[in-house]
Amino acid sequence: MDLLPRSVEEFRDVQYWDAFFKKRGKDGTFEWYGEYSDLCGVLHKYCKAPHRTLVVGCGNSRLSEDLYDVGYRSLINIDISDVAVRQMSDRNAQRRPGMQFVRMDMRELTFEDEHFDCVLDKATLDAIMAEETESISNDVTAIFDEVTRVLKAGGRYICVSLAQGHILDKLLHYFPDNWMVRVHKVEKGQVEKGRGGGRGGNAVALPVFVFVFTKKLRVGPAMPQVLELCLRKS
């Protein structure tokens, strides 16, 4: 089975992802847009160990496992694939007790309002928006509505993306007033996409961006949008 689908429509097909994860197996991983070691320098600035964190579209990535191993204990992971959720639950039941994996649709989150300090999205938005249609745009609006609802004031939506034009347009039009926006560019060569499954295999350098949307407390009239670009490695 090829790692990439035959058409962009399959990126939104649950059956495709179930088959994908079955082929990879319980111990197989595939890291879209880099591994923890590539991204941790940015992630740790905005998502702290005590934070209650929701990881959306977790798949079989080791990102949550790596975060758990450095002290992050309040992690809930969701995915639309039953296969991925079962595999990850089995893989972590003994070594990482308390880390939850739940099948859930991002458009209809079942969590209470203002429940999370951080929502972490690594490549999930890009997969959903693999093509540009009105229907997909409406779905993404519903997803952003849910992210906004479950985040506390001061909470952050962290989105790791290739920042294609239509995705960038959607992000910056949805998160206008009362959000602070920071954009970090991961230095060229830091992130590699391995066709062998993340850890090993052939690799191609990708330009990856980390968007950090901070939800402000609404007090009085809407504040102008603040956009901060962080293009240098710090």
Side-chain angles (χ1 to χ4, degrees):
M1 177 183 179
D2 293 333
L3 292 178
L4 295 178
R6 289 166 294 183
S7 66
V8 292
E9 289 85 359
E10 286 192 327
F11 274 119
R12 293 164 51 80
D13 186 345
V14 176
Q15 292 182 338
Y16 165 79
W17 289 113
D18 281 345
F20 177 95
F21 294 120
K22 284 180 182 178
K23 289 286 186 179
R24 301 299 294 177
K26 183 178 72 172
D27 297 320
T29 63
F30 189 77
E31 297 295 342
W32 301 94
Y33 303 174
E35 300 184 37
Y36 167 76
S37 59
D38 301 309
L39 302 168
C40 63
V42 176
L43 296 183
H44 288 319
K45 290 182 179 180
Y46 304 106
C47 184
K48 305 298 184 181
H51 285 171
R52 185 177 291 170
T53 299
L54 174 66
V55 181
V56 296
C58 63
N60 61 8
S61 169
R62 293 189 184 274
L63 178 62
S64 292
E65 297 170 333
D66 290 331
L67 287 169
Y68 185 99
D69 291 346
V70 296
Y72 288 69
R73 294 293 186 268
S74 299
L75 294 167
I76 299 179
N77 305 270
I78 66 170
D79 201 281
I80 60 169
S81 169
D82 278 322
V83 175
V85 168
R86 288 198 304 269
Q87 288 178 346
M88 295 299 285
S89 295
D90 291 345
R91 195 165 90 188
N92 290 282
Q94 298 299 321
R95 294 186 59 190
R96 299 174 180 91
M99 186 160 67
Q100 301 178 53
F101 293 88
V102 182
R103 188 195 182 281
M104 195 177 298
D105 189 324
M106 291 175 64
R107 296 169 298 181
E108 297 179 347
L109 300 178
T110 60
F111 306 106
E112 296 179 355
D113 294 357
E114 300 187 352
H115 187 71
F116 291 100
D117 301 287
C118 181
V119 174
L120 181 55
D121 168 353
K122 183 160 83 78
T124 301
L125 177 64
D126 281 17
I128 293 170
M129 293 195 73
E131 59 180 338
E132 188 177 7
T133 69
E134 183 178 357
S135 174
I136 291 174
S137 180
N138 290 338
D139 282 346
V140 172
T141 296
I143 289 169
F144 289 167
D145 286 347
E146 285 293 89
V147 168
T148 300
R149 181 182 65 79
V150 301
L151 273 177
K152 300 176 182 178
R156 295 183 172 109
Y157 171 46
I158 301 175
C159 179
V160 183
S161 169
L162 296 185
Q164 293 175 278
H166 66 289
I167 294 175
L168 180 62
D169 183 69
K170 184 69 176 181
L171 284 168
L172 297 184
H173 276 83
Y174 183 89
F175 295 97
D177 301 331
N178 293 299
W179 289 83
M180 179 177 289
V181 183
R182 291 187 175 93
V183 185
H184 290 262
K185 179 183 178 183
V186 178
E187 294 295 332
K188 184 178 180 181
Q190 279 187 276
V191 174
E192 296 179 336
K193 179 180 176 181
R195 290 188 61 82
R199 303 190 181 201
N202 299 324
V204 178
L206 292 173
V208 172
F209 298 86
V210 181
F211 292 84
V212 183
F213 300 93
T214 302
K215 182 180 177 181
K216 297 180 183 177
L217 178 65
R218 285 186 177 272
V219 178
M223 298 175 63
Q225 186 181 39
V226 178
L227 173 61
E228 179 178 296
L229 300 177
C230 308
L231 301 181
R232 293 184 178 181
K233 184 180 178 182
S234 57

